[in-house]
């Protein structure tokens, strides 16, 4: 507390991380809990609702001024790469370039005609790089949304001898590379560092950068790129976050990326974040953003993202078990709930309610007008009832035709030839569907609505009434749920903590105090395991192998041929099963109370954590399938952090000695330095 008293200001760089889960919760806690004497400065280049964020902060802390600058420090020109040719996306007045739009649309039409023919890629890597070099657009960041893609691109450059540096620049790169190697004290790490960087490509001014690389290797690439010695770096989107690596140009190799479930187009905010690196302040007068056009991407989607503006921040605040335990240690339930209702999420819910009142009034007025509208049909006997029957028949025909197509396809795939005349039709399913569709067509044809001159207006009125009624129902329900959300979540968290023995009479028990001294979503499991004696009688490598299940992440859980169930010793296997039992018990309690915050155990890094703590050289460590050595370092860093927390929390506990020895076993230079 004394040190906090001396703090004058807190800078929240990239304050739009309020929109990120789970990091956003921490940002909001800082803003809410920082002492009143501390001034807060929030920085962002991609936020559009800055006034809303500032109004929330003003409500909490007093006046917050906003300083907005809408022009870029370095102007940005955007290009579309179409069949290896760079075309401007916008004209000199900032309007859509008509020739580019027409050429892209014509290309889409012609590509559609020859969809199944073999054709060359839309844009070639080397042609694009040489075009950038010809137009003096280097150095460039070439974004590829996969590590494998970055590795393959770098390997192609090495294989084809792509050379972008002069003889003097090659000497400077070699000097810097050797200097950085000499600063590595550990010979084992030096060997791994040499393996991590393609020296031939580096000398030629080409490198890659992604989260799976060794931290020191990434730093080397960043340093050389910042000095202008690396001309092209192939990078995943992680490079666009929080690193000072400006370039003259940024190339986006694909306008779609995998979001964990499927491939989706880039949003306007993502595009701005990636293009934010284009243009070096104080060096360039113009930065360049190049989007490579792909045959399966509509040019209108690219323009929509490019014209979309900044991202609107939506709160991702979510109460956690450790937050609940920490609050209940010093506050009453009512005070804790009041604190959570100071969150940006609650602020947005309340103000959404204010705008909803206006929207609801407009919707109800429109609904009244529509219901008062009467269609008179003097010559045709159609009514509200016949319109309902007509619309129902129309929808049913479409639905049944889809079912019929699927049935025919399934029959054909099963070798029964269901689509051919005289072919077997088990259960007469296809025949029955055809008969039903025929009857529906008869109802549709016989309806008086079919020939009604007011059909389009009447049907439009009906659809609009249904939409408005659904909007009103959904809006009221959503608003009620949002306004009471954090109280309900906090109540559910307390119920789980109470039933699991972490709190009693809304105050932390001894077990709860232990969990509160740990951070992260695994705090409850670790505390429970310590109290149950699960972690006793382990060696340091075994403890590392057990705890890494709680702090690491698997890359590709459904990967075939996984060895995640192979434990290095019987003790590790026993503890792993015990941890899984604790986790399942807590998950069952969560399900009872409508929560889902705990994630499954991670099994990928068990063996490598065991080997690391056992002293196996870095050169001999085997990362799990689909992962890189950088992922191993990240997992060990997380494990090291957990062990330090446990060391603090268990000072008078019998496990303290084992935890300390395990932490020391992880302390290679590589970990201590990062």
């Amino acid at each position: 507390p004394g040190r906090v008293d001396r703090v004058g200001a807190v800078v929240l760089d990239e304050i739009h991380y309020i929109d990120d889960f789970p990091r956003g919760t921490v940002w909001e806690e800082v803003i809410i809990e920082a002492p009143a004497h501390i001034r807060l400065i929030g920085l962002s280049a991609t936020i559009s609702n800055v006034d809303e964020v500032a109004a929330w902060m003003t409500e909490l802390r007093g006046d917050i001024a906003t300083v907005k600058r809408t022009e870029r420090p370095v102007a940005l020109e955007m290009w579309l790469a179409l069949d290896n040719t760079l075309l401007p996306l916008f004209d000199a007045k900032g309007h859509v370039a008509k020739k580019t739009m027409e050429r892209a649309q014509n290309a889409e039409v012609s590509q559609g005609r020859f969809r199944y023919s073999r054709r060359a890629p839309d844009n070639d890597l080397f042609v694009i790089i040489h075009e950038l070099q010809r137009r003096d657009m280097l150095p460039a960041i070439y974004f590829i949304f996969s590590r494998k893609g970055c590795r393959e691109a770098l390997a192609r450059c090495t294989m084809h001898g792509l050379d972008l540096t002069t003889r003097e620049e090659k000497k400077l790169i070699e000097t810097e590379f050797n200097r950085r190697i000499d600063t590595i004290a550990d010979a084992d790490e030096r060997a791994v560092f040499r393996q991590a960087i393609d020296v031939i490509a580096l000398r030629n001014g080409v490198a890659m950068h992604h989260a799976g690389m060794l931290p020191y290797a990434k730093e080397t690439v960043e340093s050389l790129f910042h000095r202008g010695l690396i001309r092209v770096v192939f990078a995943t989107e992680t490079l666009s976050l929080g690193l000072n690596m400006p370039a003259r140009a940024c190339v986006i190799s694909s306008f779609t990326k995998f979001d964990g479930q499927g491939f989706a187009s880039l949003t306007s905010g993502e595009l701005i974040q990636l293009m934010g690196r284009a243009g070096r302040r104080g060096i360039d007068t113009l930065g360049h953003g190049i989007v490579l056009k792909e045959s399966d991407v509509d040019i209108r989607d690219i323009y929509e993202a490019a014209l979309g503006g900044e991202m609107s921040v939506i709160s991702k605040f979510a109460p956690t078990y450790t937050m609940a335990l920490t609050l209940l240690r010093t506050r009453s339930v009512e005070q804790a709930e009041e604190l959570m209702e100071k969150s940006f999420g609650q602020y947005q819910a309340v103000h959404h309610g204010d705008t909803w009142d206006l929207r609801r009034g407009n919707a109800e007025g429109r609904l009244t007008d529509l219901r008062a509208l009467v269609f008179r049909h003097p010559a045709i006997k159609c009514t509200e009832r016949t319109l309902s029957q007509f619309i129902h028949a129309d929808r049913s025909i479409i639905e049944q035709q889809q079912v019929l197509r699927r049935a025919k396809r399934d029959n054909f795939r099963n070798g029964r030839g269901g689509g051919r005349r005289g072919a077997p039709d088990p259960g007469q399913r296809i025949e029955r569907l055809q008969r039903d569709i025929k009857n529906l067509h008869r109802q549709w044809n016989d309806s008086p609505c079919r020939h009604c001159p007011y059909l389009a207006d009447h049907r439009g009125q009906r659809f609009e009434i249904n939409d408005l009624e659904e909007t009103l129902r959904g809006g009221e329900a959503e608003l009620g749920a949002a306004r009471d959300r954090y109280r309900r979540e906090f109540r559910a968290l307390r119920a789980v903590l109470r039933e699991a023995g972490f709190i009693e009479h809304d105050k932390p028990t001894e077990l709860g105090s232990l969990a509160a001294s740990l951070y992260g979503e695994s705090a409850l499991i670790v505390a429970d395991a310590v109290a149950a004696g699960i972690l006793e009688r382990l060696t340091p490598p075994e403890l590392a192998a057990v705890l890494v299940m709680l702090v690491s992440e698997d890359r590709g859980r459904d990967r075939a041929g996984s060895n995640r169930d192979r434990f290095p010793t019987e003790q590790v296997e026993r503890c792993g099963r015990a941890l899984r039992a604790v986790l399942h018990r807590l998950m069952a309690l969560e399900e009872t109370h409508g929560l889902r915050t705990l994630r499954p155990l991670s099994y990928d890094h068990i063996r490598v954590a065991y080997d690391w703590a056992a002293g196996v050289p870095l050169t001999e460590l085997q990362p799990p399938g689909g992962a890189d050595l950088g992922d191993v370092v990240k997992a060990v860093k997380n494990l090291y952090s957990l062990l330090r927390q446990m060391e603090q929390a268990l000072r008078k506990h019998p496990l303290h000695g084992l935890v300390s020895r395990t932490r020391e076993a992880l302390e290679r230079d590589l970990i201590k330095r990062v």
Side-chain angles (χ1 to χ4, degrees):
R3 284 189 291 174
V4 174
D5 289 342
R6 295 195 296 274
V7 174
V10 169
V11 180
L12 295 163
D13 196 8
E14 314 286 7
I15 196 172
H16 54 264
Y17 281 153
I18 288 173
D19 199 284
D20 180 75
F21 180 83
R23 179 165 34 188
T25 298
V26 179
W27 281 141
E28 293 198 36
E29 284 185 279
V30 169
I31 293 167
I32 294 167
E33 288 281 72
H37 73 275
I38 291 179
R39 301 178 71 189
L40 296 180
I41 299 100
L43 307 175
S44 176
T46 59
I47 184 172
S48 60
N49 56 334
V50 60
D51 291 327
E52 184 182 24
V53 177
W56 165 63
M57 293 173 70
T58 295
E59 199 172 274
L60 289 175
R61 313 183 58 83
D63 286 343
I64 298 288
T66 58
V67 180
K68 295 186 233 178
R69 184 173 175 178
T70 54
E71 71 277 6
R72 286 172 53 100
V74 179
L76 176 68
E77 188 167 2
M78 294 191 66
W79 303 81
L80 182 76
L82 183 63
D83 291 330
N84 296 317
T85 303
L86 297 191
L87 306 170
L89 274 172
F90 301 98
D91 61 24
K93 296 181 179 179
H95 301 143
V96 171
K98 292 182 179 178
K99 289 184 179 179
T100 301
M101 172 72 91
E102 290 171 1
R103 186 165 169 180
Q105 289 178 327
N106 291 336
E108 288 168 5
V109 171
S110 63
Q111 287 162 355
R113 290 176 188 155
F114 305 103
R115 186 178 301 168
Y116 302 107
S117 62
R118 297 186 65 180
R119 57 190 301 275
D122 302 293
N123 294 285
D124 183 77
L125 173 75
F126 296 112
V127 177
I128 294 297
I129 291 176
H130 284 306
E131 184 67 10
L132 295 178
Q133 188 178 31
R134 186 182 72 80
R135 291 172 178 258
D136 195 25
M137 291 183 179
L138 298 180
I141 299 172
Y142 202 111
F143 286 109
I144 301 175
F145 299 126
S146 77
R147 299 178 184 182
K148 181 181 178 184
C150 291
R151 285 192 291 264
E152 289 176 349
L154 188 66
R156 283 188 64 197
C157 291
T158 303
M159 183 172 64
H160 291 280
L162 179 68
D163 192 349
L164 302 173
T165 54
T166 63
R167 184 178 301 174
E168 291 73 20
E169 288 169 337
K170 286 179 172 58
K171 289 180 180 177
L172 290 172
I173 291 170
E174 285 180 357
T175 301
E176 175 65 7
F177 180 77
N178 291 330
R179 184 192 70 78
R180 294 186 71 86
I181 283 182
D182 291 341
T183 62
I184 302 175
D186 182 44
D188 190 29
E189 187 186 342
R190 280 202 302 274
V192 173
F193 176 75
R194 287 183 181 277
Q195 295 172 4
I197 289 189
D198 185 334
V199 181
I200 296 174
L202 199 70
R203 290 178 72 253
N204 291 337
V206 187
M208 67 176 176
H209 188 290
H210 60 73
M213 292 172 62
L214 281 174
Y216 199 58
K218 286 192 292 184
E219 290 171 20
T220 301
V221 172
E222 291 161 19
S223 173
L224 290 170
F225 189 84
H226 196 263
R227 292 173 59 185
L229 295 173
I230 291 180
R231 300 302 170 81
V232 175
V233 59
F234 300 109
T236 56
E237 69 268 31
T238 54
L239 189 144
S240 69
L241 304 174
L243 291 177
N244 183 27
M245 281 187 68
R248 183 167 289 166
C250 290
V251 180
I252 297 178
S253 64
S254 173
F255 201 71
T256 58
K257 69 171 186 173
F258 190 69
D259 60 6
Q261 296 179 333
F263 285 89
S265 296
L266 295 177
T267 65
S268 180
E270 289 171 331
L271 183 63
I272 288 171
Q273 191 79 48
L274 294 168
M275 293 301 185
R277 300 287 164 195
R280 297 168 296 176
R281 190 180 303 193
I283 300 175
D284 301 322
T285 57
L286 187 65
H288 301 276
I290 301 99
V291 178
L292 305 193
K293 176 70 171 67
E294 300 158 288
S295 57
D296 58 347
V297 173
D298 193 319
I299 183 62
R300 289 170 296 187
D301 292 338
I302 296 175
Y303 271 112
E304 185 178 345
L307 293 167
E310 301 94 341
M311 64 178 283
S312 181
V313 169
I314 307 296
S315 172
K316 297 298 188 297
F317 182 81
T320 63
Y321 290 113
T322 50
M323 183 194 298
L325 288 166
T326 303
L327 289 174
L328 292 174
R329 190 159 51 182
T330 56
R331 292 173 170 88
S332 67
V333 172
E334 292 74 21
Q335 289 172 326
E337 288 179 344
E338 285 174 11
L339 190 79
M340 282 189 286
E341 290 191 346
K342 292 180 180 179
S343 68
F344 186 47
Q346 187 68 23
Y347 178 88
Q348 287 187 312
V350 170
H351 285 265
H352 178 72
D354 295 341
T355 60
W356 169 247
D357 290 337
L358 177 62
R359 288 166 50 212
R360 179 177 55 196
N362 292 337
E364 288 173 343
R366 177 61 178 162
L367 197 57
T368 300
D369 293 341
L370 287 169
R371 285 172 174 164
L373 188 61
V374 177
F375 291 89
R376 302 187 184 280
H377 310 289
I380 301 170
K381 297 178 180 179
C382 52
T383 64
E384 292 295 326
R385 182 179 178 184
T386 59
L387 180 64
S388 297
Q389 293 171 340
F390 180 79
I391 293 173
H392 175 72
D394 196 34
R395 287 176 175 167
S396 297
I397 288 170
I398 296 171
E399 292 170 1
Q400 292 294 84
Q401 284 175 336
Q402 290 174 342
V403 174
L404 177 62
R405 281 195 293 271
R406 283 197 296 269
K408 286 183 176 181
R409 187 170 62 244
D410 291 343
N411 259 17
F412 187 82
R413 284 176 178 170
N414 292 334
R416 293 193 287 264
R420 299 190 297 273
R421 185 180 297 276
D425 179 15
Q428 282 73 52
R429 184 187 177 205
I430 294 175
E431 185 180 338
R432 187 174 65 255
L433 286 168
Q434 290 171 332
R435 190 165 54 246
D436 291 343
I437 292 171
K438 190 174 182 180
N439 290 334
L440 288 168
H441 269 296
R442 189 182 299 114
Q443 292 176 26
W444 187 83
N445 282 318
D446 293 345
S447 172
C449 295
R450 228 184 116 226
H451 304 288
C452 176
Y454 304 108
L455 174 60
D457 293 337
H458 198 176
R459 183 160 55 179
Q461 178 218 30
R462 173 68 65 83
F463 287 156
E464 191 174 354
I465 286 174
N466 290 341
D467 287 344
L468 286 168
E469 288 175 340
E470 188 175 339
T471 298
L472 288 168
R473 283 194 304 271
E476 291 293 344
E478 184 181 336
L479 185 62
R483 281 180 167 164
D484 193 39
R485 173 188 165 188
Y486 297 116
R487 285 184 183 271
R488 284 186 288 104
E489 288 186 12
F490 191 57
R491 201 175 300 132
L493 290 172
R494 282 166 43 222
V496 172
L497 290 170
R498 189 183 307 113
E499 293 175 28
F502 290 90
I503 61 173
E504 189 174 322
H505 306 302
D506 283 322
K507 288 297 175 186
T509 60
E510 186 177 347
L511 180 64
S513 296
L514 174 58
S517 63
L518 306 169
Y519 302 96
E521 54 194 45
S522 62
L524 299 190
I525 304 171
V526 174
D528 201 300
V530 170
I534 292 172
L535 306 178
E536 296 173 2
R537 297 187 300 279
L538 295 176
T539 64
E542 288 174 335
L543 182 62
V546 170
L547 292 179
V548 80
M549 299 184 218
L550 301 171
V551 295
S552 61
E553 297 178 13
D554 290 355
R555 284 182 59 81
R557 287 191 171 277
D558 300 325
R559 187 174 59 249
S562 171
N563 63 352
R564 60 166 49 96
D565 291 327
R566 297 177 187 169
F567 298 93
T569 69
E570 289 184 6
Q571 285 283 72
V572 173
E573 183 173 8
R574 174 187 63 78
C575 290
R577 294 183 189 282
L579 287 184
R580 190 166 57 192
V582 172
L583 176 64
H584 286 174
R585 178 168 60 85
L586 292 172
M587 281 181 161
L589 288 175
E590 281 200 328
E591 189 174 352
T592 302
H593 297 284
L595 292 174
R596 183 181 284 183
T597 70
L598 299 170
R599 60 183 175 89
L601 298 180
S602 170
Y603 294 96
D604 270 3
H605 292 86
I606 295 174
R607 169 61 70 176
V608 76
Y610 181 90
D611 290 343
W612 184 296
V616 173
L618 291 172
T619 51
E620 297 177 19
L621 289 176
Q622 293 295 319
D628 299 297
L629 191 55
D631 298 307
V632 174
V633 173
K634 181 181 177 182
V636 174
K637 279 172 59 182
N638 292 343
L639 174 59
Y640 184 77
S641 176
L642 174 60
L643 286 165
R644 287 184 63 184
Q645 293 169 37
M646 292 175 67
E647 204 172 3
Q648 293 279 337
L650 300 173
R651 285 176 179 169
K652 298 180 181 179
H653 193 280
L655 271 177
H656 185 267
L658 172 61
V659 170
S660 295
R661 292 195 304 275
T662 307
R663 188 259 305 157
E664 291 168 0
L666 298 182
E667 276 189 342
R668 304 187 187 195
D669 287 343
L670 177 59
I671 291 298
K672 288 191 287 187
R673 193 167 58 248
V674 299

